[in-house]
Amino acid sequence: MSTQRLQQLKGHFLSEHKVTSMAGPVSPLSTHVLNIALGVPGSNVSLSLYRQDTPSEVWSLITTGITNADGRCPGLITKEMFTSGVYKLRFETQQYWESIGEASFYPYVEIVFTISDPGQKYHIPLLMSRFSYSTYRGS
Amino acid sequence: MSGAESSPLTTHVLNIAEGAPATRMALSLHRLDHNTKIWNMLTVGTTNTDGRCPGLISRAGFTPGTYKLRFETGQYWDSLGQTAFYPYVEVVFTFKEPDQRFHIPLLLSRFSYSTYRGS
């Protein structure tokens, strides 16, 4: 295949990529739910994102969503809305385990975290089994 | 104290970044009132030099229901002169059968934590 033809093909792929990314910028906050008991993504897990108002300390709901087949939930928040503050991600984990016919120790999992630099990207995974869970700040 | 039964609920907080117990961390135990949906605080405590907090609840008091262990992790890292990602950690758990014993550790660093149901 000639270099010219290869470059033509590359042009097709890149413009496809541009069209997709024009559908909406990536959320600066992302999550990934993993069922570590089965070694699979935690799909169809309902979740919600809140920000804590100051000085009232009341939680305001920002987004609700549900994880996809890969255990992810794109579009959690826009860059404009992602200001410094204290946030909470709530995962309806018991609903998830019940939907696959199992009981669980935790009725839900809430992870409260502080964003001091909203210019960065934050990845907040949840690795869970029926009787354990863990989370970390990733990228 | 020799006659006292140990609490059916225990915890153990470990600073996995240092490989040491998390000492002097404030924590509290709450039970959910299912009618009012309000959390009632049952105990406040502080972890000892081994990262443990004996005497969280009595055998008679630990009835089936929904409980929350809240760990003041932000304060803890503050006291060590460090910042952390989580201002606090709350672990909410539930059980239906009476006469249960649970061990609920918290393994943490400034940017991660994990918990599990142990014995």
Side-chain angles (χ1 to χ4, degrees):
Chain A
M1 204 179 290
S2 71
T3 315
Q4 218 178 25
R5 180 62 183 140
L6 279 170
Q7 280 173 346
Q8 267 183 335
L9 287 171
K10 181 176 157 190
H12 291 313
F13 280 114
L14 283 181
S15 45
E16 298 257 333
H17 182 69
K18 273 190 208 139
V19 168
T20 312
S21 63
M22 270 168 66
V26 173
S27 165
L29 178 66
S30 59
T31 187
H32 194 188
V33 184
L34 293 135
N35 176 338
I36 57 167
L38 292 180
V40 296
S43 56
N44 290 316
V45 177
S46 295
L47 56 82
S48 37
L49 174 67
Y50 301 81
R51 186 199 294 115
Q52 190 171 47
D53 289 341
T54 52
S56 69
E57 298 199 349
V58 168
W59 292 104
S60 291
L61 178 66
I62 298 176
T63 326
T64 59
I66 191 158
T67 57
N68 59 21
D70 194 30
R72 301 179 195 269
C73 190
L76 276 177
I77 195 169
T78 62
K79 275 199 85 126
E80 291 70 37
M81 287 201 63
F82 194 51
T83 54
S84 301
V86 177
Y87 290 78
K88 172 167 73 175
L89 259 175
R90 176 182 167 120
F91 301 85
E92 303 301 339
T93 54
Q94 189 162 73
Q95 267 179 28
Y96 167 79
W97 293 106
E98 280 172 0
S99 77
I100 57 175
E102 305 201 23
S104 155
F105 191 49
Y106 313 98
Y108 55 84
V109 169
E110 286 186 345
I111 300 169
V112 181
F113 54 98
T114 306
I115 301 295
S116 40
D117 181 4
Q120 293 182 33
K121 282 192 161 342
Y122 297 83
H123 183 60
I124 301 183
L126 175 67
L127 286 64
M128 58 172 199
S129 74
R130 295 164 58 210
F131 298 103
S132 72
Y133 64 89
S134 71
T135 188
Y136 58 87
R137 179 190 156 177
S139 59
Chain B
M1 291 252 297
S2 57
E5 257 186 52
S6 61
S7 167
L9 176 66
T10 54
T11 187
H12 194 188
V13 190
L14 294 138
N15 177 338
I16 57 167
E18 293 297 319
T23 64
R24 303 170 67 121
M25 178 183 293
L27 55 83
S28 48
L29 174 66
H30 312 248
R31 185 196 289 115
L32 182 68
D33 180 323
H34 279 279
N35 295 318
T36 61
K37 302 295 178 201
I38 290 176
W39 288 102
N40 295 315
M41 186 181 288
L42 303 174
T43 322
V44 283
T46 311
T47 56
N48 59 21
T49 53
D50 195 29
R52 300 180 194 269
C53 190
L56 277 176
I57 194 168
S58 66
R59 175 69 272 169
F62 198 42
T63 52
T66 301
Y67 292 79
K68 170 167 73 178
L69 259 175
R70 177 180 165 121
F71 301 87
E72 302 301 337
T73 56
Q75 275 176 22
Y76 168 77
W77 292 109
D78 244 9
S79 75
L80 298 180
Q82 303 191 22
T83 59
F85 193 46
Y86 315 97
Y88 55 85
V89 170
E90 288 185 344
V91 177
V92 180
F93 60 97
T94 187
F95 66 100
K96 295 183 182 159
E97 301 297 322
D99 297 323
Q100 303 262 35
R101 307 189 70 86
F102 299 119
H103 181 59
I104 300 184
L106 178 68
L107 285 63
L108 91 151
S109 74
R110 296 163 61 209
F111 296 101
S112 72
Y113 66 88
S114 72
T115 187
Y116 59 87
R117 179 182 125 172
S119 58

